[in-house]
């Protein structure tokens, strides 16, 4: 079959490349259709999609579970969902898994029980045969926590080896067994409680439970990492350290009193009142060196008191220093803010800055600190790697920048790079963001707040109010020639937080994204064309009558106006007057020189052997002669010179100069 090609209609230009691509697509679609036809005809061939299995066909959607309570019916997840959530994974990420932090808290409670009550039960007579069963039951619960941590949780904790996170359960178990922590955990669960059958229920046999201190410190680190205000927990923990040391000192004092004999001397405990509170009161006064205590009598009492004083000075000073560091770290940002404000106020007072300006500066400091918690966000982000900075910038600012029409269609990575270069600035109510007539070198993106565009004859009329997500000043970035001036005043209406992107930064980014640069240049041309259109004026009246037969009078060429000194009709009239005076002078001079030439011709011989001298051609650069006038003080110079550019013909020059007086 012969295919006849239809004639191409006039005015339609064929694209051979596009036509070839369409033919290729049609060919591939035909091949695909033939393959599917063969598969439908031949049942042996497998379908491109897997057939559903019997289990999938019989699978039913999960039923909704509802709970009736207090005449209310609400949906609740099934028990299976709870079990899946509580099921432990193969390995545990100790930095992000909150369940692991909760388990560490449970083990820490068991550890603190042993640390506080083992010395108390050993020294003070609080453990009696009547309540031993209760102490023993709590001890067993704590031991179960220790064993679960040793056998279930710690072998699953991931670790880092050579920069890689090991998530294999076998490897994590081997790593845990090779650490010192594993050895201490094993010692802490050794069942020395069996010796109860030989020595009775002596709490001193459980002293090995206090070796599980690594879990306690690990819990402190993980809890501080997830708390918003970690300094609060640090203060509580430091206070707990102080109370625990006083608790140990109270136990030692009661032990020393019992060794010397209760009430045997004025220094020992006399056995009256609440024994623990009386001993704790003595420990506080002794460690903090308040004084007012009874003087020791025996050598044992003197040595004990001296050691107590030495330990009190060392421990108490260490805890006070640690507390100072904790509180100082918690208020470091506030102290830095106050230092900046004080230095700025001192500077303004030194140079006698007006009170109004000082109040605005203080307002800016207070609002910036209250809204951001810091004066400059970039100081915090500079400490992080670039990828983390980008992740934070995307979460915080990408939703705002992505709404900007100017950057729609641009490369996403280009927008990411731009997010890292944006600078955040806070403007106070009434501050000028930009003024009319200024050279624009940056664009603005409103992050928070509102700005007003002012105009009108007096520049106080609100033309438009821009809110969060709006952009203005983008023409300054896209103007190729630069020097683009602002066309209106922009004032902050209330507190406004703006992103600023300057032209230099944008050019550095676009250097690596040529496609986005071309797209922005196209948008720049459209914006500049829209901006350059003159405002619609009144309609031009058409001439009536006979005047409509003639065209509109053309305006005098600007070049001719410039040649005449930009004086318009006055310069043209003067030029015509000078031309008439020059013609009159030429006629007069010709009349005077004609008789003299006739006399010379009569005296000259008829035939001369000397050939006439050839006329020299005037040079292109030679200036024409100036014709002086007796009746005027001005001279007119009219000359023709070739144009320095090829193909432009000659240039007519008309100069009017004042003649020099001799």
């Amino acid at each position: 079959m012969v295919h006849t090609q239809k004639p191409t209609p006039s005015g339609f230009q064929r694209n051979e490349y596009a036509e070839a691509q369409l033919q290729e697509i049609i060919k591939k679609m035909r091949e695909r259709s033939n393959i599917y036809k063969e598969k439908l005809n031949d049942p042996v061939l497998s379908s491109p999609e897997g057939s559903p299995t019997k289990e999938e066909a019989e699978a039913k959607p999960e039923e909704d579970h509802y709970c009736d309570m207090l005449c209310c019916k609400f949906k609740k997840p099934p028990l299976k969902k709870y079990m899946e959530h509580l099921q432990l994974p193969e390995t545990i990420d100790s930095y992000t898994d909150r369940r692991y932090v909760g388990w560490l808290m449970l083990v820490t409670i068991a550890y603190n029980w042993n640390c506080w009550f083992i010395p108390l039960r050993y020294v003070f007579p609080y453990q009696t045969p009547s309540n031993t069963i209760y102490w023993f039951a709590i001890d067993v619960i704590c031991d179960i926590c220790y064993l679960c941590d040793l056998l279930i949780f710690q072998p699953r904790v991931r670790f880092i080896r050579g920069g890689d996170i090991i998530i294999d359960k076998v490897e994590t178990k081997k790593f845990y067994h090779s650490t010192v922590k594993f050895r201490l955990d094993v010692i802490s669960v050794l069942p020395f409680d069996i010796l109860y059958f030989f020595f009775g229920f002596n709490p001193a046999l459980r002293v090995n439970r206090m070796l599980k201190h690594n879990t306690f410190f690990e819990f402190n680190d993980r809890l501080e990492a997830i708390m918003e205000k970690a300094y609060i927990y640090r203060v509580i923990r430091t206070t707990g350290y102080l109370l625990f040391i006083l608790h140990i000192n109270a136990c030692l004092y009661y032990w020393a009193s019992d060794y010397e004999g209760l009430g045997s001397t004025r220094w020992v405990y006399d056995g009256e009142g609440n024994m623990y509170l009386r001993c704790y009161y003595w420990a506080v006064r002794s460690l903090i060196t308040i004084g007012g205590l009874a003087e020791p009598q025996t050598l044992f009492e003197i040595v004990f008191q001296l050691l107590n004083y030495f330990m009190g000075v060392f421990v108490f000073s260490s805890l006070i220093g640690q507390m100072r560091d904790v509180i100082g770290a918690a208020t470091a940002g506030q102290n830095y803010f106050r230092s900046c404000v004080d230095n700025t106020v001192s500077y303004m007072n030194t140079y006698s800055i007006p009170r109004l300006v000082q109040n605005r500066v203080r307002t800016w400091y207070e609002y910036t600190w209250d809204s951001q918690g810091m004066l400059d966000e970039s100081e915090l982000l500079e400490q992080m790697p670039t990828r983390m900075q980008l992740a934070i910038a995307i979460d915080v600012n990408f939703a705002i920048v992505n709404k900007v029409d100017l950057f729609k269609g641009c490369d996403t990575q280009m927008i990411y790079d731009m997010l890292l270069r944006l600078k955040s600035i806070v403007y106070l109510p009434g501050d000028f963001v930009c003024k009319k007539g200024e050279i624009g070198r940056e664009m603005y993106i409103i992050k928070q707040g509102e700005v007003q565009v002012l105009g009108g004859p007096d520049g106080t009329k609100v033309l438009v109010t821009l809110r969060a997500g709006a952009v203005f000043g983008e023409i300054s970035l896209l103007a190729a020639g630069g020097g683009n001036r602002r066309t209106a005043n922009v004032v902050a209406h209330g507190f406004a937080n703006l992103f600023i992107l300057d032209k230099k930064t944008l050019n550095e980014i676009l250097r690596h994204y040529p496609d986005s640069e071309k797209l922005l240049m196209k948008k720049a041309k459209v914006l500049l064309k829209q901006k350059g259109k003159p405002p619609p004026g009144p309609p031009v009246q058409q001439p009536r009558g006979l005047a409509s037969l003639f065209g509109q009078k053309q305006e005098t060429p600007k070049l001719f106006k410039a040649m005449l000194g930009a004086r318009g009709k006055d310069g043209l009239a003067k030029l015509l007057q000078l031309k008439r005076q020059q013609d009159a002078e030429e006629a007069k001079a010709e009349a005077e020189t004609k008789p003299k030439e006739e006399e010379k011709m009569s005296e000259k011989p008829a035939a001369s052997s000397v050939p006439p001298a050839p006329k020299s051609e005037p040079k292109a650069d030679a200036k024409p002669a100036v014709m002086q006038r007796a009746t005027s003080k001005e001279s007119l110079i009219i000359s023709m010179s070739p144009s320095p550019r090829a193909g432009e013909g000659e240039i007519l020059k008309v100069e009017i100069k004042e003649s020099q007086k001799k």
Side-chain angles (χ1 to χ4, degrees):
M1 184 169 64
V2 180
H3 295 276
T4 59
Q5 186 177 5
K6 295 182 180 181
T8 304
S10 60
F12 178 77
Q13 186 177 2
R14 292 179 55 186
N15 191 329
E16 296 181 356
Y17 176 76
E19 186 175 355
Q21 292 295 325
L22 289 175
Q23 293 293 338
E24 185 67 22
I25 293 174
I26 293 172
K27 182 179 178 181
K28 291 182 178 180
M29 292 182 67
R30 287 177 179 174
E31 293 178 354
R32 182 182 177 187
S33 300
N34 294 332
I35 292 174
Y36 274 92
K37 287 180 181 180
E38 292 178 359
K39 290 181 178 181
L40 291 175
N41 295 331
D42 191 356
V44 178
L45 295 178
S46 61
S47 175
E49 298 180 358
S51 302
T53 60
K54 182 178 180 180
E55 291 77 6
E56 295 178 356
E58 295 178 355
K60 296 181 180 180
E62 296 183 359
E63 297 180 357
D64 295 335
H65 297 261
Y66 293 91
C67 179
D68 296 330
M69 182 179 294
L70 298 177
C71 301
C72 298
K73 189 176 183 180
F74 58 92
K75 187 177 180 180
K76 69 172 185 177
L79 182 61
K80 183 179 179 182
K81 296 291 184 181
Y82 287 114
M83 297 303 295
E84 291 178 356
H85 181 72
L86 294 176
Q87 185 178 3
L88 286 176
E90 291 293 326
T91 55
I92 300 174
D93 186 0
S94 60
Y95 295 96
T96 59
D97 197 336
R98 297 294 180 90
R99 294 172 297 180
Y100 180 70
V101 178
W103 171 254
L104 289 179
M105 183 180 66
L106 186 62
V107 178
T108 301
I109 293 175
Y111 173 75
N112 279 275
W113 168 270
N114 292 320
C115 290
W116 283 76
F117 285 96
I118 288 176
L120 180 71
R121 292 157 56 187
Y122 177 75
V123 175
F124 290 93
Y126 286 129
Q127 180 176 328
T128 61
S130 60
N131 59 15
T132 302
I133 185 64
Y134 303 107
W135 295 104
F136 183 75
I138 299 176
D139 291 342
V140 170
I141 295 175
C142 294
D143 293 345
I144 292 174
C145 293
Y146 278 31
L147 286 173
C148 292
D149 185 65
L150 175 66
L151 301 176
I152 299 176
F153 286 89
Q154 294 301 327
R156 298 172 183 262
V157 177
R158 300 173 184 175
F159 67 97
I160 299 176
R161 183 172 59 191
D164 297 332
I165 301 177
I166 307 302
I167 60 175
D168 185 33
K169 185 178 179 180
V170 178
E171 294 293 332
T172 56
K173 188 175 182 179
K174 290 181 179 179
F175 176 78
Y176 173 63
H177 290 170
S178 63
T179 59
V180 179
K181 181 180 179 182
F182 170 73
R183 298 184 181 90
L184 293 176
D185 291 346
V186 171
I187 297 175
S188 65
V189 296
L190 291 178
F192 291 109
D193 307 66
I194 301 176
L195 299 178
Y196 284 171
F197 296 102
F198 303 99
F199 302 99
F201 288 95
N202 189 352
L205 298 175
R206 294 181 52 84
V207 71
N208 60 322
R209 303 297 190 272
M210 301 174 65
L211 295 176
K212 201 173 178 62
H213 58 274
N214 289 323
T215 302
F216 171 74
F217 292 113
E218 183 182 2
F219 169 72
N220 293 332
D221 296 338
R222 299 295 175 264
L223 185 61
E224 291 179 6
I226 64 176
M227 291 184 66
E228 294 182 358
K229 297 181 179 180
Y231 65 89
I232 297 177
Y233 177 73
R234 296 191 188 106
V235 172
I236 296 174
R237 184 184 61 193
T238 305
T239 305
Y241 290 159
L242 177 60
L243 296 177
F244 179 73
I245 293 174
L246 294 174
H247 169 76
I248 297 298
N249 195 25
C251 295
L252 291 176
Y253 175 67
Y254 185 84
W255 173 81
S257 300
D258 188 35
Y259 177 79
E260 287 285 314
L262 298 178
S264 59
T265 61
R266 295 181 55 189
W267 181 83
V268 299
Y269 170 60
D270 56 3
E272 298 179 359
N274 190 309
M275 62 183 72
Y276 180 75
L277 290 180
R278 295 287 298 274
C279 293
Y280 201 90
Y281 174 75
W282 184 91
V284 171
R285 298 190 64 176
S286 177
L287 280 181
I288 305 179
T289 63
I290 295 177
L293 299 174
E295 294 293 333
Q297 302 296 327
T298 63
L299 179 62
F300 175 80
E301 294 174 357
I302 294 174
V303 173
F304 184 90
Q305 189 65 32
L306 287 175
L307 294 176
N308 203 19
Y309 280 145
F310 289 148
M311 185 179 65
V313 171
F314 174 75
V315 173
F316 189 73
S317 60
S318 300
L319 292 177
I320 292 299
Q322 186 176 1
M323 187 71 73
R324 183 202 61 186
D325 296 339
V326 170
I327 298 176
T331 59
Q334 188 73 20
N335 295 335
Y336 172 73
F337 164 71
R338 290 300 173 192
S339 176
C340 292
V341 174
D342 294 342
N343 294 335
T344 305
V345 171
S346 176
Y347 174 82
M348 292 188 295
N349 292 332
T350 302
Y351 290 93
S352 302
I353 304 298
R355 184 64 57 184
L356 179 62
V357 178
Q358 293 190 22
N359 292 336
R360 293 183 65 83
V361 171
R362 290 192 182 96
T363 304
W364 179 87
Y365 270 108
E366 294 291 342
Y367 175 78
T368 304
W369 180 260
D370 292 339
S371 60
Q372 300 180 171
M374 61 188 68
L375 297 178
D376 190 2
E377 295 178 350
S378 60
E379 294 181 358
L380 177 64
L381 297 178
E382 285 178 355
Q383 302 175 2
M384 302 181 181
T386 306
R387 300 302 302 177
M388 290 186 180
Q389 295 182 21
L390 179 60
I392 294 176
I394 291 173
D395 292 337
V396 176
N397 305 324
F398 182 74
I400 298 175
V401 178
N402 197 35
K403 296 178 182 178
V404 179
D405 294 334
L406 179 64
F407 300 112
K408 287 185 177 179
C410 295
D411 192 346
T412 306
Q413 189 62 40
M414 188 274 290
I415 298 179
Y416 289 167
D417 292 348
M418 188 179 64
L419 289 176
L420 297 175
R421 305 289 189 91
L422 293 176
K423 298 179 181 179
S424 178
I425 296 182
V426 176
Y427 289 90
L428 300 182
D431 281 352
F432 279 90
V433 180
C434 57
K435 292 186 177 181
K436 184 178 181 180
E438 290 181 346
I439 301 297
R441 299 181 180 88
E442 59 275 322
M443 67 171 288
Y444 302 89
I445 303 174
I446 303 178
K447 178 183 179 182
Q448 186 179 5
E450 297 178 354
V451 297
Q452 293 178 342
V453 182
L454 306 181
D458 55 352
T460 58
K461 181 181 178 182
V462 179
L463 302 179
V464 66
T465 300
L466 304 177
R467 294 177 175 83
V471 180
F472 60 94
E474 66 275 12
I475 297 180
S476 301
L477 263 71
L478 303 177
N484 195 1
R485 296 184 179 272
R486 305 293 188 187
T487 57
N489 295 330
V490 180
V491 181
H493 180 61
F495 292 95
N497 194 343
L498 307 181
F499 287 130
I500 296 181
L501 180 65
D502 55 14
K503 187 178 181 67
K504 181 180 178 181
T505 302
L506 182 62
N507 291 336
E508 292 177 355
I509 296 174
L510 292 179
R511 190 188 311 164
H512 306 286
Y513 303 97
D515 296 337
S516 299
E517 183 178 8
K518 293 178 182 178
L519 179 61
L520 288 179
M521 289 301 105
K522 290 181 181 179
K523 292 184 178 181
K525 293 179 181 179
V526 175
L527 290 175
L528 293 174
K529 181 183 283 188
Q530 292 176 355
K531 181 186 176 184
K533 289 182 179 179
V540 180
Q541 296 182 358
Q542 298 293 336
R544 301 179 180 179
L546 296 176
S548 61
L549 300 176
F550 304 97
Q552 189 177 1
K553 182 180 179 182
Q554 297 181 356
E555 187 181 0
T556 305
K558 295 182 180 180
L559 181 60
F560 193 63
K561 286 183 179 180
M563 181 182 66
L564 298 179
R567 289 178 290 179
K569 295 182 179 180
D570 296 338
L572 181 60
K574 187 172 182 180
L575 178 62
L576 295 175
Q577 183 181 0
L578 293 175
K579 181 65 176 175
R580 294 192 193 99
Q581 293 178 1
Q582 184 179 6
D583 293 341
E585 290 179 359
E586 289 179 357
K588 184 178 179 181
E590 185 178 356
E592 292 178 356
T593 56
K594 189 173 181 181
K596 296 180 180 180
E597 290 179 356
E598 291 179 354
E599 293 178 0
K600 291 180 180 180
M601 292 294 294
S602 60
E603 295 176 0
K604 191 175 181 179
S608 176
S609 59
V610 181
K615 297 181 179 180
S616 60
E617 297 180 357
K619 296 181 180 179
D621 299 336
K623 296 183 178 180
V626 180
M627 302 185 68
Q628 302 291 338
R629 293 169 285 126
T631 59
S632 176
K633 296 181 181 181
E634 297 180 353
S635 60
L636 181 67
I637 303 175
I638 302 176
S639 63
M640 298 288 292
S641 61
S643 174
R645 299 182 181 179
E648 292 188 359
E650 297 180 342
I651 299 176
L652 173 64
K653 295 183 180 179
V654 179
E655 300 180 5
I656 302 173
K657 293 186 178 181
E658 189 174 342
S659 60
Q660 300 177 356
K661 293 182 180 181
K662 296 183 180 180

